[in-house]
Amino acid sequence: MPPTETLFLESTTRITKDPIHSFMDFQVWDFPGQIDFFDPTFDFDNIFGEHGALIWVLDAQDEYLEALSKLHATIIQLQRNYPMINIEVFIHKVDGLSDDYKIDTQRDIVQRTQDELSDAGFDNVQISYHLTSIYDHSIFEAFSKVIQKLIPQLGTLENLLNVLCSNSGIEKAFLFDVLSKIYIATDSSPVDVQSYEICSDYIDVIVDISEIYGYSRSPNRQLIDASQPPQSAGPLSNGEEETSPEASSIIRLQNGMVLYLREINKYLALICLMRKESIEKQGLVDYNVQVFQNALEKVFEMRGA
């Protein structure tokens, strides 16, 4: 929902489980801050036994020492019982803080956590810290990094994207989950925040166009070819299902860069940022993207085998 609508959301009062049916089928378990899941009435093993990541959200605009103390106790318990769980700390609501205050807050949280864990005999706990806000793309980027750690094929995906970029003159490539705007993989070049933001906004534009002019393809929101006129779905006979080629779209930016989108399947879309000289050889880019798509299908066929 738009960030402004979150002002009217009620606080979480009980444990809620939200299934996410997207490229990856997983659940998000939302715990209220006041719940003590170390209480004997809670089954600690059932809560954490099959989880891949713990995301601990701290309010950077509020007093966080009590929440930080609970975090330390949770990490110590996890290290003793489930040391393989990824621990992610979201230092949230940083939109109202100055850059210097953000850095000081993160430094304080990191130092207090390291000192507490060291006193408990845990010196090398891997914890990731993210500065997040719902008023920019930082929350999506943070979730992207969390999800990527849960994908066993991440290294293979990154290598495929590196090969695609080097052979097609692509500056930056993202493999996006369309429904959540999480990017599940990118090439090995550093992620520039502005590049990620424009690619994420590009998905919104295409999805909005598809909702106006597109045709029904599945219960999920689907992309259409924004560079082609809308198509009308005619009647089908003999039990045939409606099929269509993957959607694609190109947008030329005023700074000379080009955004290239190609739908991979009903969940994933490849979005590339390249210079206008590279798109002049669009046939080569299209061919290389098709090779990438075929390789991607083989990777996930092997996972399902």
Side-chain angles (χ1 to χ4, degrees), residues 8 60-61 67 75-76 86 89 92 94 107 125 140 156 246 277 299:
F8 306 102
Q61 297 187 28
I75 294 175
I76 291 171
N86 296 321
V89 178
H92 199 45
V94 295
R107 185 183 296 116
V125 181
F140 294 103
T156 303
E246 289 80 8
E277 294 81 8
V299 168

Side-chain angles (χ1 to χ4, degrees), residues 118-161:
S118 180
D119 291 343
F122 300 99
D123 293 316
N124 298 309
V125 181
Q126 297 298 315
I127 305 172
S128 298
Y129 299 87
H130 311 266
L131 296 171
T132 60
S133 169
I134 61 172
Y135 292 99
D136 55 29
H137 291 76
S138 59
I139 190 67
F140 294 103
E141 185 176 10
F143 265 108
S144 296
K145 293 178 179 178
V146 172
I147 294 299
Q148 288 168 23
K149 294 179 181 179
L150 306 180
I151 300 177
Q153 302 87 358
L154 179 62
T156 303
L157 299 182
E158 290 179 346
N159 288 336
L160 289 175
L161 288 169

Side-chain angles (χ1 to χ4, degrees), residues 25-86:
D25 282 335
F26 61 95
Q27 278 190 335
V28 174
W29 290 28
D30 188 7
F31 285 81
Q34 68 272 16
I35 284 185
D36 179 13
F37 38 77
F38 297 122
D39 188 283
T41 57
F42 288 95
D43 188 339
F44 188 84
D45 292 332
N46 184 46
I47 293 175
F48 293 102
E50 297 183 358
H51 281 188
L54 169 71
I55 300 175
W56 195 279
V57 184
L58 293 173
D59 187 341
Q61 297 187 28
D62 198 4
E63 178 58 54
Y64 53 76
L65 293 183
E66 182 179 352
L68 200 56
S69 177
K70 289 184 178 181
L71 169 63
H72 299 157
T74 303
I75 294 175
I76 291 171
Q77 282 291 94
L78 289 179
Q79 288 300 300
R80 290 171 177 167
N81 297 278
Y82 302 104
M84 299 304 294
I85 290 182
N86 296 321

Side-chain angles (χ1 to χ4, degrees), residues 3-279:
T4 51
E5 293 185 12
T6 63
L7 298 174
F8 306 102
L9 289 178
E10 296 182 357
S11 298
T12 305
T13 57
R14 58 187 177 86
I15 300 175
T16 58
K17 302 177 183 180
D18 296 317
I20 309 297
H21 299 297
S22 190
F23 165 72
M24 293 176 59
D25 282 335
F26 61 95
Q27 278 190 335
V28 174
W29 290 28
D30 188 7
F31 285 81
Q34 68 272 16
I35 284 185
D36 179 13
F37 38 77
F38 297 122
D39 188 283
T41 57
F42 288 95
D43 188 339
F44 188 84
D45 292 332
N46 184 46
I47 293 175
F48 293 102
E50 297 183 358
H51 281 188
L54 169 71
I55 300 175
W56 195 279
V57 184
L58 293 173
D59 187 341
Q61 297 187 28
D62 198 4
E63 178 58 54
Y64 53 76
L65 293 183
E66 182 179 352
L68 200 56
S69 177
K70 289 184 178 181
L71 169 63
H72 299 157
T74 303
I75 294 175
I76 291 171
Q77 282 291 94
L78 289 179
Q79 288 300 300
R80 290 171 177 167
N81 297 278
Y82 302 104
M84 299 304 294
I85 290 182
N86 296 321
I87 300 172
E88 314 283 339
V89 178
F90 285 12
I91 305 171
H92 199 45
K93 298 184 182 180
V94 295
D95 46 273
L97 309 179
S98 66
D99 290 340
D100 289 342
Y101 196 84
K102 292 178 189 178
I103 296 173
D104 290 342
T105 300
Q106 180 171 354
R107 185 183 296 116
D108 180 56
I109 290 172
V110 172
Q111 188 62 55
R112 289 177 183 273
T113 302
Q114 289 178 343
D115 291 345
E116 188 69 25
L117 295 180
S118 180
D119 291 343
F122 300 99
D123 293 316
N124 298 309
V125 181
Q126 297 298 315
I127 305 172
S128 298
Y129 299 87
H130 311 266
L131 296 171
T132 60
S133 169
I134 61 172
Y135 292 99
D136 55 29
H137 291 76
S138 59
I139 190 67
F140 294 103
E141 185 176 10
F143 265 108
S144 296
K145 293 178 179 178
V146 172
I147 294 299
Q148 288 168 23
K149 294 179 181 179
L150 306 180
I151 300 177
Q153 302 87 358
L154 179 62
T156 303
L157 299 182
E158 290 179 346
N159 288 336
L160 289 175
L161 288 169
N162 286 336
V163 173
L164 175 64
C165 291
S166 63
N167 288 282
S168 307
I170 295 172
E171 300 277 324
K172 190 66 182 171
F174 294 95
L175 191 59
F176 268 92
D177 179 280
V178 176
L179 299 178
S180 64
K181 290 194 297 185
I182 287 174
Y183 68 94
I184 66 167
T186 184
D187 60 278
S188 58
S189 63
V191 175
D192 175 62
V193 176
Q194 292 182 337
S195 298
Y196 168 68
E197 289 178 353
I198 195 170
C199 290
S200 179
D201 290 342
Y202 189 16
I203 289 179
D204 284 338
V205 171
I206 300 302
V207 168
D208 287 345
I209 291 175
S210 72
E211 290 181 343
I212 299 173
Y213 298 107
Y215 51 92
S216 177
R217 295 176 60 185
S218 84
N220 296 307
R221 301 169 77 192
Q222 293 294 290
L223 301 179
I224 64 165
D225 187 344
S227 62
Q228 299 294 331
Q231 305 177 29
S232 59
L236 303 178
S237 61
N238 300 326
E240 294 177 342
E241 294 185 357
E242 180 184 2
T243 60
S244 66
E246 289 80 8
S248 63
S249 178
I250 296 174
I251 293 181
R252 290 172 171 83
L253 306 178
Q254 291 182 346
N255 62 0
M257 301 296 287
V258 174
L259 282 172
Y260 175 100
L261 178 145
R262 175 72 172 268
E263 184 183 17
I264 300 300
N265 56 36
K266 67 179 182 178
Y267 296 125
L268 299 178
L270 174 71
I271 302 184
C272 304
L273 192 63
M274 64 184 77
R275 299 187 183 278
K276 62 180 180 180
E277 294 81 8
S278 299
I279 203 62

